[in-house]
Amino acid sequence: MTHFTCPICKQKFTQKDRTLVCPQGHAFDMAKQGYVNLLRPGKGGSVRHGDDKLMVRARTAFLDAGFYNALRDAVTKEVLAHAEKGVTLLDAGCGEGFYTAHIRRALLDADQEPSIYGIDVSKDAVHACAVRDRGIRLAVASIFDLPKENESVDILINLFAPYDAAEFSRVLKEGGTLIRVFPRERHLWELKCAVYDTPYENEIDTLALEGFTLTSETPVTFDLHLSKTEDIDALFKMTPYYYKTSREDQKKLENLQSLDTHGEFLIVTYKKANTLPNVDLTDTSSL
Ligand SMILES: [Zn+2]
C-alpha cells in the first residue's frame, strides 16, 4: 500500500491502526478525521502555519457557492487529459480540498482508480479537506519537504500555493505532469478598482520552470456576480492583494453591497524534463 514518507528519515510509512510508522520506528498518530501532521516540532511547528480557521471557513463557503466552478472544472479537465489508470496525484497546497475532491470524483467517475494525496501547511485547511473528502490521503506538511518518495507521483497540482521546482521534480515520475494556475493581468480588475485609487494590472511571473518543459497554456475567464458583502469580503481575503492593502482601503469594500467582476486565470501544464545522464564533466581522463 502506498503512503507518505517519514519527515525524519524519508522512509515509507506503514499504517498500524491510527498510527503511521516508518522502518526506523518514527511514529505519527493520525487525527480522528484521518489526516496526519508531519510538520516537525522545532522546525517552525510551534508557530501558526498557513490559513487560520476563520479564513478557511470563509473561503470554503465562497468556493462551495460555486463562484470558482469554471476554474475547478477547467483544472479537472486538464488532469483528466493526462491521467491514466491507477494514477497517483498529489495536490501540493490542497487547502480545504475544493479542487482536490472534485478531481478525485472525476477520476473515479472516469474509472481511473486514482490514489489522491493532498498536503498543506495549514492544519485548519487540511482538517477541512478531510471533512470534505475522506478518500484523500492528507498530511499537514511543507511544499518544500514533500512527504513522498522519489518518482512516485504521476500528476502534481499546485494551485495558489508556493512552489519548489526541485522538490516537485524529485517526487514526479519521469515524464510526469505538473499543473499550475496563474492569475492573469486583469484578474479581479473591478474589485481592484473598488479598492485602489490607482489599480495596477498583475505582472505575470515567468512561466518557465527549471527541470520542466511547458506543454500547454489554457486561459480561463469567467464572470463573478457578488451580491453579498460577505462574498466580496471572502473573495478579497483570498487574494494576495488583501495583505498589501491599507486598513483604509480595505474599509472601502465593507460598504459595498454588490460587485460585478471577473476571474482571469491561466492553467499552465508542464512535463517533467528528462533527467540527463549523470556525467561528470570535470573528469577528462577518458577523453
Ligand atoms: Zn522515520
PDB file of all heavy atoms in Angstrom, residues 174-206:
ATOM      1  N   GLU A 174       9.344  10.125 -14.113  1.00  0.00           N
ATOM      2  CA  GLU A 174       9.863  10.582 -15.402  1.00  0.00           C
ATOM      3  C   GLU A 174       8.678  10.863 -16.330  1.00  0.00           C
ATOM      4  O   GLU A 174       7.774  10.045 -16.443  1.00  0.00           O
ATOM      5  CB  GLU A 174      10.735   9.458 -15.994  1.00  0.00           C
ATOM      6  CG  GLU A 174      11.744   9.916 -17.000  1.00  0.00           C
ATOM      7  CD  GLU A 174      12.955  10.564 -16.349  1.00  0.00           C
ATOM      8  OE1 GLU A 174      13.569   9.919 -15.490  1.00  0.00           O
ATOM      9  OE2 GLU A 174      13.276  11.714 -16.717  1.00  0.00           O
ATOM     10  N   GLY A 175       8.661  12.024 -16.943  1.00  0.00           N
ATOM     11  CA  GLY A 175       7.565  12.360 -17.853  1.00  0.00           C
ATOM     12  C   GLY A 175       6.275  12.744 -17.146  1.00  0.00           C
ATOM     13  O   GLY A 175       5.242  12.925 -17.795  1.00  0.00           O
ATOM     14  N   GLY A 176       6.320  12.863 -15.805  1.00  0.00           N
ATOM     15  CA  GLY A 176       5.130  13.231 -15.030  1.00  0.00           C
ATOM     16  C   GLY A 176       4.644  14.640 -15.334  1.00  0.00           C
ATOM     17  O   GLY A 176       5.369  15.441 -15.919  1.00  0.00           O
ATOM     18  N   THR A 177       3.411  14.907 -14.931  1.00  0.00           N
ATOM     19  CA  THR A 177       2.749  16.163 -15.278  1.00  0.00           C
ATOM     20  C   THR A 177       2.630  17.081 -14.065  1.00  0.00           C
ATOM     21  O   THR A 177       2.253  16.633 -12.979  1.00  0.00           O
ATOM     22  CB  THR A 177       1.326  15.859 -15.810  1.00  0.00           C
ATOM     23  OG1 THR A 177       1.452  15.007 -16.942  1.00  0.00           O
ATOM     24  CG2 THR A 177       0.581  17.129 -16.210  1.00  0.00           C
ATOM     25  N   LEU A 178       2.928  18.355 -14.277  1.00  0.00           N
ATOM     26  CA  LEU A 178       2.733  19.383 -13.248  1.00  0.00           C
ATOM     27  C   LEU A 178       1.731  20.396 -13.781  1.00  0.00           C
ATOM     28  O   LEU A 178       1.867  20.862 -14.919  1.00  0.00           O
ATOM     29  CB  LEU A 178       4.070  20.070 -12.943  1.00  0.00           C
ATOM     30  CG  LEU A 178       4.015  21.370 -12.135  1.00  0.00           C
ATOM     31  CD1 LEU A 178       3.505  21.119 -10.715  1.00  0.00           C
ATOM     32  CD2 LEU A 178       5.393  22.032 -12.078  1.00  0.00           C
ATOM     33  N   ILE A 179       0.714  20.708 -12.970  1.00  0.00           N
ATOM     34  CA  ILE A 179      -0.296  21.688 -13.388  1.00  0.00           C
ATOM     35  C   ILE A 179      -0.312  22.837 -12.383  1.00  0.00           C
ATOM     36  O   ILE A 179      -0.456  22.614 -11.177  1.00  0.00           O
ATOM     37  CB  ILE A 179      -1.699  21.035 -13.480  1.00  0.00           C
ATOM     38  CG1 ILE A 179      -1.674  19.913 -14.523  1.00  0.00           C
ATOM     39  CG2 ILE A 179      -2.763  22.081 -13.832  1.00  0.00           C
ATOM     40  CD1 ILE A 179      -2.942  19.072 -14.569  1.00  0.00           C
ATOM     41  N   ARG A 180      -0.147  24.049 -12.878  1.00  0.00           N
ATOM     42  CA  ARG A 180      -0.179  25.237 -12.018  1.00  0.00           C
ATOM     43  C   ARG A 180      -1.189  26.241 -12.563  1.00  0.00           C
ATOM     44  O   ARG A 180      -1.587  26.159 -13.728  1.00  0.00           O
ATOM     45  CB  ARG A 180       1.209  25.884 -11.961  1.00  0.00           C
ATOM     46  CG  ARG A 180       2.289  24.945 -11.447  1.00  0.00           C
ATOM     47  CD  ARG A 180       3.641  25.628 -11.406  1.00  0.00           C
ATOM     48  NE  ARG A 180       3.653  26.691 -10.396  1.00  0.00           N
ATOM     49  CZ  ARG A 180       4.474  27.743 -10.451  1.00  0.00           C
ATOM     50  NH1 ARG A 180       5.321  27.877 -11.444  1.00  0.00           N
ATOM     51  NH2 ARG A 180       4.438  28.654  -9.503  1.00  0.00           N
ATOM     52  N   VAL A 181      -1.597  27.179 -11.725  1.00  0.00           N
ATOM     53  CA  VAL A 181      -2.552  28.202 -12.142  1.00  0.00           C
ATOM     54  C   VAL A 181      -2.002  29.577 -11.794  1.00  0.00           C
ATOM     55  O   VAL A 181      -1.501  29.786 -10.682  1.00  0.00           O
ATOM     56  CB  VAL A 181      -3.922  27.989 -11.447  1.00  0.00           C
ATOM     57  CG1 VAL A 181      -4.830  29.186 -11.656  1.00  0.00           C
ATOM     58  CG2 VAL A 181      -4.602  26.734 -11.986  1.00  0.00           C
ATOM     59  N   PHE A 182      -2.080  30.490 -12.765  1.00  0.00           N
ATOM     60  CA  PHE A 182      -1.624  31.861 -12.545  1.00  0.00           C
ATOM     61  C   PHE A 182      -2.778  32.843 -12.787  1.00  0.00           C
ATOM     62  O   PHE A 182      -3.511  32.673 -13.757  1.00  0.00           O
ATOM     63  CB  PHE A 182      -0.516  32.215 -13.551  1.00  0.00           C
ATOM     64  CG  PHE A 182       0.723  31.395 -13.400  1.00  0.00           C
ATOM     65  CD1 PHE A 182       0.827  30.133 -13.983  1.00  0.00           C
ATOM     66  CD2 PHE A 182       1.799  31.880 -12.685  1.00  0.00           C
ATOM     67  CE1 PHE A 182       1.984  29.378 -13.856  1.00  0.00           C
ATOM     68  CE2 PHE A 182       2.960  31.134 -12.557  1.00  0.00           C
ATOM     69  CZ  PHE A 182       3.051  29.886 -13.133  1.00  0.00           C
ATOM     70  N   PRO A 183      -2.926  33.858 -11.942  1.00  0.00           N
ATOM     71  CA  PRO A 183      -3.874  34.924 -12.283  1.00  0.00           C
ATOM     72  C   PRO A 183      -3.317  35.754 -13.445  1.00  0.00           C
ATOM     73  O   PRO A 183      -2.106  35.969 -13.510  1.00  0.00           O
ATOM     74  CB  PRO A 183      -3.945  35.770 -11.001  1.00  0.00           C
ATOM     75  CG  PRO A 183      -2.745  35.424 -10.221  1.00  0.00           C
ATOM     76  CD  PRO A 183      -2.217  34.102 -10.688  1.00  0.00           C
ATOM     77  N   ARG A 184      -4.207  36.156 -14.371  1.00  0.00           N
ATOM     78  CA  ARG A 184      -3.730  36.964 -15.495  1.00  0.00           C
ATOM     79  C   ARG A 184      -3.817  38.458 -15.185  1.00  0.00           C
ATOM     80  O   ARG A 184      -4.246  38.847 -14.107  1.00  0.00           O
ATOM     81  CB  ARG A 184      -4.503  36.591 -16.764  1.00  0.00           C
ATOM     82  CG  ARG A 184      -3.884  35.347 -17.354  1.00  0.00           C
ATOM     83  CD  ARG A 184      -4.654  34.642 -18.441  1.00  0.00           C
ATOM     84  NE  ARG A 184      -5.380  35.475 -19.339  1.00  0.00           N
ATOM     85  CZ  ARG A 184      -6.655  35.240 -19.668  1.00  0.00           C
ATOM     86  NH1 ARG A 184      -7.310  34.245 -19.129  1.00  0.00           N
ATOM     87  NH2 ARG A 184      -7.261  36.007 -20.535  1.00  0.00           N
ATOM     88  N   GLU A 185      -3.415  39.272 -16.162  1.00  0.00           N
ATOM     89  CA  GLU A 185      -3.211  40.711 -15.921  1.00  0.00           C
ATOM     90  C   GLU A 185      -4.397  41.392 -15.252  1.00  0.00           C
ATOM     91  O   GLU A 185      -4.233  42.189 -14.338  1.00  0.00           O
ATOM     92  CB  GLU A 185      -2.889  41.454 -17.240  1.00  0.00           C
ATOM     93  CG  GLU A 185      -1.500  41.195 -17.794  1.00  0.00           C
ATOM     94  CD  GLU A 185      -1.430  39.961 -18.673  1.00  0.00           C
ATOM     95  OE1 GLU A 185      -2.392  39.147 -18.641  1.00  0.00           O
ATOM     96  OE2 GLU A 185      -0.417  39.791 -19.375  1.00  0.00           O
ATOM     97  N   ARG A 186      -5.607  41.120 -15.751  1.00  0.00           N
ATOM     98  CA  ARG A 186      -6.756  41.883 -15.250  1.00  0.00           C
ATOM     99  C   ARG A 186      -7.686  41.032 -14.382  1.00  0.00           C
ATOM    100  O   ARG A 186      -8.878  41.316 -14.268  1.00  0.00           O
ATOM    101  CB  ARG A 186      -7.495  42.538 -16.419  1.00  0.00           C
ATOM    102  CG  ARG A 186      -6.663  43.673 -17.029  1.00  0.00           C
ATOM    103  CD  ARG A 186      -7.275  44.224 -18.282  1.00  0.00           C
ATOM    104  NE  ARG A 186      -8.419  45.094 -18.038  1.00  0.00           N
ATOM    105  CZ  ARG A 186      -8.333  46.388 -17.752  1.00  0.00           C
ATOM    106  NH1 ARG A 186      -7.167  46.969 -17.648  1.00  0.00           N
ATOM    107  NH2 ARG A 186      -9.421  47.108 -17.552  1.00  0.00           N
ATOM    108  N   HIS A 187      -7.131  40.015 -13.742  1.00  0.00           N
ATOM    109  CA  HIS A 187      -7.883  39.187 -12.791  1.00  0.00           C
ATOM    110  C   HIS A 187      -8.471  40.078 -11.681  1.00  0.00           C
ATOM    111  O   HIS A 187      -7.749  40.862 -11.070  1.00  0.00           O
ATOM    112  CB  HIS A 187      -6.926  38.141 -12.209  1.00  0.00           C
ATOM    113  CG  HIS A 187      -7.524  37.293 -11.131  1.00  0.00           C
ATOM    114  ND1 HIS A 187      -8.665  36.542 -11.324  1.00  0.00           N
ATOM    115  CD2 HIS A 187      -7.159  37.091  -9.849  1.00  0.00           C
ATOM    116  CE1 HIS A 187      -8.964  35.910 -10.208  1.00  0.00           C
ATOM    117  NE2 HIS A 187      -8.069  36.230  -9.297  1.00  0.00           N
ATOM    118  N   LEU A 188      -9.777  39.976 -11.469  1.00  0.00           N
ATOM    119  CA  LEU A 188     -10.481  40.751 -10.430  1.00  0.00           C
ATOM    120  C   LEU A 188     -10.269  42.262 -10.569  1.00  0.00           C
ATOM    121  O   LEU A 188     -10.220  42.991  -9.587  1.00  0.00           O
ATOM    122  CB  LEU A 188     -10.057  40.293  -9.026  1.00  0.00           C
ATOM    123  CG  LEU A 188     -10.255  38.812  -8.705  1.00  0.00           C
ATOM    124  CD1 LEU A 188      -9.780  38.515  -7.295  1.00  0.00           C
ATOM    125  CD2 LEU A 188     -11.716  38.391  -8.859  1.00  0.00           C
ATOM    126  N   TRP A 189     -10.187  42.706 -11.811  1.00  0.00           N
ATOM    127  CA  TRP A 189      -9.884  44.111 -12.082  1.00  0.00           C
ATOM    128  C   TRP A 189     -10.893  45.045 -11.404  1.00  0.00           C
ATOM    129  O   TRP A 189     -10.531  46.043 -10.774  1.00  0.00           O
ATOM    130  CB  TRP A 189      -9.856  44.336 -13.595  1.00  0.00           C
ATOM    131  CG  TRP A 189      -9.536  45.741 -13.963  1.00  0.00           C
ATOM    132  CD1 TRP A 189     -10.364  46.672 -14.522  1.00  0.00           C
ATOM    133  CD2 TRP A 189      -8.262  46.392 -13.770  1.00  0.00           C
ATOM    134  NE1 TRP A 189      -9.698  47.854 -14.695  1.00  0.00           N
ATOM    135  CE2 TRP A 189      -8.404  47.710 -14.238  1.00  0.00           C
ATOM    136  CE3 TRP A 189      -7.031  45.992 -13.240  1.00  0.00           C
ATOM    137  CZ2 TRP A 189      -7.369  48.634 -14.200  1.00  0.00           C
ATOM    138  CZ3 TRP A 189      -5.996  46.913 -13.195  1.00  0.00           C
ATOM    139  CH2 TRP A 189      -6.170  48.210 -13.669  1.00  0.00           C
ATOM    140  N   GLU A 190     -12.181  44.709 -11.502  1.00  0.00           N
ATOM    141  CA  GLU A 190     -13.222  45.587 -10.958  1.00  0.00           C
ATOM    142  C   GLU A 190     -13.153  45.641  -9.429  1.00  0.00           C
ATOM    143  O   GLU A 190     -13.480  46.664  -8.824  1.00  0.00           O
ATOM    144  CB  GLU A 190     -14.613  45.122 -11.428  1.00  0.00           C
ATOM    145  CG  GLU A 190     -14.792  45.154 -12.961  1.00  0.00           C
ATOM    146  CD  GLU A 190     -14.167  43.975 -13.702  1.00  0.00           C
ATOM    147  OE1 GLU A 190     -13.614  43.061 -13.039  1.00  0.00           O
ATOM    148  OE2 GLU A 190     -14.219  43.963 -14.939  1.00  0.00           O
ATOM    149  N   LEU A 191     -12.716  44.541  -8.829  1.00  0.00           N
ATOM    150  CA  LEU A 191     -12.511  44.528  -7.373  1.00  0.00           C
ATOM    151  C   LEU A 191     -11.367  45.486  -7.011  1.00  0.00           C
ATOM    152  O   LEU A 191     -11.473  46.277  -6.068  1.00  0.00           O
ATOM    153  CB  LEU A 191     -12.187  43.111  -6.897  1.00  0.00           C
ATOM    154  CG  LEU A 191     -11.824  42.952  -5.412  1.00  0.00           C
ATOM    155  CD1 LEU A 191     -13.062  43.017  -4.528  1.00  0.00           C
ATOM    156  CD2 LEU A 191     -11.109  41.634  -5.158  1.00  0.00           C
ATOM    157  N   LYS A 192     -10.313  45.433  -7.776  1.00  0.00           N
ATOM    158  CA  LYS A 192      -9.172  46.318  -7.512  1.00  0.00           C
ATOM    159  C   LYS A 192      -9.570  47.792  -7.710  1.00  0.00           C
ATOM    160  O   LYS A 192      -9.139  48.666  -6.956  1.00  0.00           O
ATOM    161  CB  LYS A 192      -8.002  45.963  -8.429  1.00  0.00           C
ATOM    162  CG  LYS A 192      -7.279  44.708  -7.989  1.00  0.00           C
ATOM    163  CD  LYS A 192      -6.385  44.198  -9.089  1.00  0.00           C
ATOM    164  CE  LYS A 192      -4.938  44.457  -8.843  1.00  0.00           C
ATOM    165  NZ  LYS A 192      -4.079  43.800  -9.855  1.00  0.00           N
ATOM    166  N   CYS A 193     -10.412  48.031  -8.713  1.00  0.00           N
ATOM    167  CA  CYS A 193     -10.865  49.401  -8.954  1.00  0.00           C
ATOM    168  C   CYS A 193     -11.682  49.928  -7.781  1.00  0.00           C
ATOM    169  O   CYS A 193     -11.675  51.120  -7.489  1.00  0.00           O
ATOM    170  CB  CYS A 193     -11.705  49.477 -10.234  1.00  0.00           C
ATOM    171  SG  CYS A 193     -10.732  49.268 -11.723  1.00  0.00           S
ATOM    172  N   ALA A 194     -12.397  49.016  -7.117  1.00  0.00           N
ATOM    173  CA  ALA A 194     -13.224  49.433  -5.971  1.00  0.00           C
ATOM    174  C   ALA A 194     -12.364  49.740  -4.742  1.00  0.00           C
ATOM    175  O   ALA A 194     -12.795  50.464  -3.844  1.00  0.00           O
ATOM    176  CB  ALA A 194     -14.240  48.341  -5.646  1.00  0.00           C
ATOM    177  N   VAL A 195     -11.161  49.193  -4.705  1.00  0.00           N
ATOM    178  CA  VAL A 195     -10.309  49.345  -3.522  1.00  0.00           C
ATOM    179  C   VAL A 195      -9.254  50.436  -3.697  1.00  0.00           C
ATOM    180  O   VAL A 195      -9.008  51.226  -2.792  1.00  0.00           O
ATOM    181  CB  VAL A 195      -9.595  48.012  -3.186  1.00  0.00           C
ATOM    182  CG1 VAL A 195      -8.678  48.176  -1.990  1.00  0.00           C
ATOM    183  CG2 VAL A 195     -10.621  46.927  -2.914  1.00  0.00           C
ATOM    184  N   TYR A 196      -8.654  50.452  -4.881  1.00  0.00           N
ATOM    185  CA  TYR A 196      -7.494  51.334  -5.064  1.00  0.00           C
ATOM    186  C   TYR A 196      -7.829  52.547  -5.923  1.00  0.00           C
ATOM    187  O   TYR A 196      -8.602  52.451  -6.874  1.00  0.00           O
ATOM    188  CB  TYR A 196      -6.354  50.561  -5.742  1.00  0.00           C
ATOM    189  CG  TYR A 196      -5.965  49.301  -5.023  1.00  0.00           C
ATOM    190  CD1 TYR A 196      -6.123  48.065  -5.628  1.00  0.00           C
ATOM    191  CD2 TYR A 196      -5.458  49.356  -3.726  1.00  0.00           C
ATOM    192  CE1 TYR A 196      -5.778  46.902  -4.971  1.00  0.00           C
ATOM    193  CE2 TYR A 196      -5.109  48.195  -3.070  1.00  0.00           C
ATOM    194  CZ  TYR A 196      -5.265  46.973  -3.685  1.00  0.00           C
ATOM    195  OH  TYR A 196      -4.930  45.825  -3.041  1.00  0.00           O
ATOM    196  N   ASP A 197      -7.205  53.650  -5.603  1.00  0.00           N
ATOM    197  CA  ASP A 197      -7.346  54.850  -6.432  1.00  0.00           C
ATOM    198  C   ASP A 197      -6.666  54.638  -7.775  1.00  0.00           C
ATOM    199  O   ASP A 197      -7.165  55.042  -8.810  1.00  0.00           O
ATOM    200  CB  ASP A 197      -6.728  56.059  -5.714  1.00  0.00           C
ATOM    201  CG  ASP A 197      -7.507  56.393  -4.438  1.00  0.00           C
ATOM    202  OD1 ASP A 197      -8.729  56.125  -4.423  1.00  0.00           O
ATOM    203  OD2 ASP A 197      -6.898  56.880  -3.473  1.00  0.00           O
ATOM    204  N   THR A 198      -5.503  53.968  -7.727  1.00  0.00           N
ATOM    205  CA  THR A 198      -4.767  53.707  -8.965  1.00  0.00           C
ATOM    206  C   THR A 198      -4.450  52.213  -9.049  1.00  0.00           C
ATOM    207  O   THR A 198      -3.387  51.769  -8.624  1.00  0.00           O
ATOM    208  CB  THR A 198      -3.420  54.475  -8.975  1.00  0.00           C
ATOM    209  OG1 THR A 198      -3.584  55.687  -8.258  1.00  0.00           O
ATOM    210  CG2 THR A 198      -2.949  54.751 -10.370  1.00  0.00           C
ATOM    211  N   PRO A 199      -5.399  51.415  -9.541  1.00  0.00           N
ATOM    212  CA  PRO A 199      -5.123  49.971  -9.616  1.00  0.00           C
ATOM    213  C   PRO A 199      -4.082  49.650 -10.688  1.00  0.00           C
ATOM    214  O   PRO A 199      -3.999  50.344 -11.701  1.00  0.00           O
ATOM    215  CB  PRO A 199      -6.481  49.381  -9.997  1.00  0.00           C
ATOM    216  CG  PRO A 199      -7.254  50.490 -10.599  1.00  0.00           C
ATOM    217  CD  PRO A 199      -6.717  51.773 -10.065  1.00  0.00           C
ATOM    218  N   TYR A 200      -3.304  48.624 -10.414  1.00  0.00           N
ATOM    219  CA  TYR A 200      -2.312  48.181 -11.396  1.00  0.00           C
ATOM    220  C   TYR A 200      -2.673  46.794 -11.883  1.00  0.00           C
ATOM    221  O   TYR A 200      -3.214  45.987 -11.133  1.00  0.00           O
ATOM    222  CB  TYR A 200      -0.917  48.123 -10.757  1.00  0.00           C
ATOM    223  CG  TYR A 200      -0.362  49.481 -10.436  1.00  0.00           C
ATOM    224  CD1 TYR A 200      -0.447  50.002  -9.148  1.00  0.00           C
ATOM    225  CD2 TYR A 200       0.237  50.259 -11.433  1.00  0.00           C
ATOM    226  CE1 TYR A 200       0.049  51.258  -8.845  1.00  0.00           C
ATOM    227  CE2 TYR A 200       0.742  51.523 -11.141  1.00  0.00           C
ATOM    228  CZ  TYR A 200       0.643  52.018  -9.846  1.00  0.00           C
ATOM    229  OH  TYR A 200       1.132  53.265  -9.563  1.00  0.00           O
ATOM    230  N   GLU A 201      -2.338  46.522 -13.149  1.00  0.00           N
ATOM    231  CA  GLU A 201      -2.528  45.169 -13.662  1.00  0.00           C
ATOM    232  C   GLU A 201      -1.503  44.235 -13.010  1.00  0.00           C
ATOM    233  O   GLU A 201      -0.413  44.665 -12.654  1.00  0.00           O
ATOM    234  CB  GLU A 201      -2.330  45.154 -15.189  1.00  0.00           C
ATOM    235  CG  GLU A 201      -3.427  45.910 -15.917  1.00  0.00           C
ATOM    236  CD  GLU A 201      -3.406  45.657 -17.413  1.00  0.00           C
ATOM    237  OE1 GLU A 201      -2.471  45.003 -17.900  1.00  0.00           O
ATOM    238  OE2 GLU A 201      -4.346  46.111 -18.081  1.00  0.00           O
ATOM    239  N   ASN A 202      -1.882  42.966 -12.868  1.00  0.00           N
ATOM    240  CA  ASN A 202      -0.938  41.986 -12.323  1.00  0.00           C
ATOM    241  C   ASN A 202       0.234  41.813 -13.265  1.00  0.00           C
ATOM    242  O   ASN A 202       0.054  41.790 -14.476  1.00  0.00           O
ATOM    243  CB  ASN A 202      -1.602  40.608 -12.194  1.00  0.00           C
ATOM    244  CG  ASN A 202      -2.676  40.589 -11.147  1.00  0.00           C
ATOM    245  OD1 ASN A 202      -2.609  41.314 -10.170  1.00  0.00           O
ATOM    246  ND2 ASN A 202      -3.682  39.756 -11.354  1.00  0.00           N
ATOM    247  N   GLU A 203       1.390  41.673 -12.684  1.00  0.00           N
ATOM    248  CA  GLU A 203       2.528  41.301 -13.508  1.00  0.00           C
ATOM    249  C   GLU A 203       2.592  39.779 -13.526  1.00  0.00           C
ATOM    250  O   GLU A 203       2.460  39.131 -12.495  1.00  0.00           O
ATOM    251  CB  GLU A 203       3.818  41.850 -12.912  1.00  0.00           C
ATOM    252  CG  GLU A 203       4.003  43.327 -13.215  1.00  0.00           C
ATOM    253  CD  GLU A 203       5.308  43.852 -12.680  1.00  0.00           C
ATOM    254  OE1 GLU A 203       6.316  43.131 -12.765  1.00  0.00           O
ATOM    255  OE2 GLU A 203       5.291  44.977 -12.155  1.00  0.00           O
ATOM    256  N   ILE A 204       2.775  39.232 -14.703  1.00  0.00           N
ATOM    257  CA  ILE A 204       2.842  37.780 -14.816  1.00  0.00           C
ATOM    258  C   ILE A 204       4.301  37.350 -14.650  1.00  0.00           C
ATOM    259  O   ILE A 204       5.183  37.815 -15.374  1.00  0.00           O
ATOM    260  CB  ILE A 204       2.312  37.310 -16.188  1.00  0.00           C
ATOM    261  CG1 ILE A 204       0.917  37.892 -16.458  1.00  0.00           C
ATOM    262  CG2 ILE A 204       2.309  35.791 -16.276  1.00  0.00           C
ATOM    263  CD1 ILE A 204      -0.186  37.406 -15.557  1.00  0.00           C
ATOM    264  N   ASP A 205       4.516  36.486 -13.685  1.00  0.00           N
ATOM    265  CA  ASP A 205       5.857  35.936 -13.488  1.00  0.00           C
ATOM    266  C   ASP A 205       6.222  35.097 -14.707  1.00  0.00           C
ATOM    267  O   ASP A 205       5.353  34.664 -15.453  1.00  0.00           O
ATOM    268  CB  ASP A 205       5.877  34.995 -12.262  1.00  0.00           C
ATOM    269  CG  ASP A 205       5.810  35.774 -10.969  1.00  0.00           C
ATOM    270  OD1 ASP A 205       6.113  36.981 -10.995  1.00  0.00           O
ATOM    271  OD2 ASP A 205       5.447  35.169  -9.944  1.00  0.00           O
ATOM    272  N   THR A 206       7.480  34.846 -14.845  1.00  0.00           N
ATOM    273  CA  THR A 206       7.881  33.945 -15.927  1.00  0.00           C
ATOM    274  C   THR A 206       7.251  32.571 -15.690  1.00  0.00           C
ATOM    275  O   THR A 206       7.139  32.115 -14.554  1.00  0.00           O
ATOM    276  CB  THR A 206       9.411  33.819 -16.025  1.00  0.00           C
ATOM    277  OG1 THR A 206       9.710  32.829 -17.005  1.00  0.00           O
ATOM    278  CG2 THR A 206      10.039  33.404 -14.697  1.00  0.00           C
TER     279      THR A 206
END
